[in-house]
């Protein structure tokens, strides 16, 4: 059973066109929700951790929010260098709390 | 600089051959993990270790083996029993195995030739 579902699978934006990526999860007793950025051929880079509903974190043009069932990664006025795959993950109690990842959203920002 | 080092970056394996991927961290993290990434599949957990001399199977452990003899090292062996080993392998570590953020190495791309 999938614990983490991300949508859309792919998103193409014009530079400056704001949008949001979605991550829905189905775990009980959430021990945090994690967002990562991954560039092609590289390891994921940690962005944010959210622990409770209503929490928000910001970094440059990115803002992550959390509700009881989903998280959003809002991208404001994106630039081409924001192009990457964005991954979200939750700890899996059945695997010693190793992170269980969604399949990611591939974002392309065109000039 | 603290971090996680994976080597080699690229690895080629012949059919029937065992190969070992290296993962070293100098972050003093207790927990270490191996993931496999295939196109369209996301990251899948192979093995994890919460403490030295202890490790557990993840979702796709068949055909792989690991050891954790030192806190800073968690090598992964891809054995000949792994029928489809071509993939991108990622090692990660976390200061606390009970649900803290994990930090990743730069990955090893393994190709069967």
């Amino acid at each position: 059973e999938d614990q983490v579902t991300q949508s859309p699978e792919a998103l193409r934006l014009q530079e400056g066109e704001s949008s949001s990526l979605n991550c829905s999860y189905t775990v009980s007793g959430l021990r945090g929700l994690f967002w990562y950025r991954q560039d092609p051929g590289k390891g994921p880079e940690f962005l944010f951790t959210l622990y409770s509903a209503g929490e928000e974190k910001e970094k440059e043009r990115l803002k992550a929010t959390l509700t009881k069932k989903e998280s959003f990664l809002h991208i404001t006025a994106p630039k081409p260098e924001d192009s990457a795959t964005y991954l979200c993950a939750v700890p899996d109690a059945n695997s010693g709390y190793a992170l269980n990842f969604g399949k990611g959203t591939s974002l392309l920002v065109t000039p | 600089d603290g971090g996680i080092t994976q080597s080699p970056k690229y690895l080629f394996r012949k059919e029937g051959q065992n190969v070992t991927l290296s993962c070293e961290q100098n972050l003093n993290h207790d927990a270490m993990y191996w993931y496999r990434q295939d196109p369209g599949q996301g990251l899948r957990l192979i093995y994890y270790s919460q403490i030295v001399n202890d490790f557990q199977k993840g979702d796709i452990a068949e055909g792989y083996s690991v050891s954790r003899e030192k806190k800073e090292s968690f090598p992964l062996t891809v054995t000949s029993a792994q029928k489809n080993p071509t993939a991108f392998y990622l090692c990660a570590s976390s200061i606390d195995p009970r649900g803290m953020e994990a930090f990743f190495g730069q990955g090893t791309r393994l190709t069967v030739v």
Side-chain angles (χ1 to χ4, degrees), chain B residues 3-105:
Chain B
I4 301 173
T5 301
Q6 290 188 242
S7 61
K9 187 171 182 178
Y10 300 98
L11 186 57
F12 298 90
R13 192 194 93 168
K14 294 182 180 179
E15 295 280 354
Q17 195 176 44
N18 292 356
V19 291
T20 297
L21 283 60
S22 171
C23 178
E24 303 277 333
Q25 55 100 356
N26 61 3
L27 300 168
N28 200 34
H29 286 177
D30 283 318
M32 296 188 74
Y33 312 90
W34 275 105
Y35 290 88
R36 169 180 172 144
Q37 189 173 33
D38 297 281
Q41 293 262 17
L43 277 70
R44 293 183 289 167
L45 183 67
I46 305 172
Y47 268 97
Y48 63 98
S49 169
Q50 295 177 312
I51 198 167
V52 176
N53 293 321
D54 184 60
F55 50 83
Q56 305 294 330
K57 294 181 179 180
D59 300 321
I60 56 165
E62 186 175 351
Y64 300 97
S65 66
V66 294
S67 63
R68 187 86 188 277
E69 297 176 1
K70 298 186 297 181
K71 187 175 186 177
E72 55 271 20
S73 179
F74 192 39
L76 173 74
T77 296
V78 184
T79 75
S80 57
Q82 171 49 238
K83 298 306 179 187
N84 186 23
T86 295
F88 190 48
Y89 290 87
L90 288 159
C91 178
S93 71
S94 174
I95 193 168
D96 186 334
R98 294 168 295 175
M100 298 291 287
E101 58 267 22
F103 296 92
F104 284 82

Side-chain angles (χ1 to χ4, degrees), chain A residues 18-91:
Chain A
S18 301
S19 188
S20 296
L21 313 182
N22 178 264
C23 173
S24 61
Y25 59 92
T26 56
V27 295
S28 59
L30 184 68
R31 283 175 170 255
L33 185 141
F34 303 86
W35 281 100
Y36 288 82
R37 169 192 170 127
Q38 187 177 24
D39 293 300
K42 302 284 182 67
E45 174 190 349
F46 171 72
L47 292 174
F48 304 110
T49 307
L50 302 166
Y51 285 106
S52 56
E55 189 175 359
E56 298 183 352
K57 294 268 180 79
E58 286 191 65
K59 180 179 180 179
E60 296 181 358
R61 294 175 292 282
L62 301 176
K63 183 170 80 172
T65 62
L66 182 66
T67 71
K68 288 187 177 180
K69 293 191 175 182
E70 58 192 346
S71 177
F72 294 93
L73 186 64
H74 307 277
I75 303 176
T76 302
K79 297 182 178 181
E81 53 262 42
D82 295 321
S83 297
T85 296
Y86 291 86
L87 302 167
C88 74
V90 297

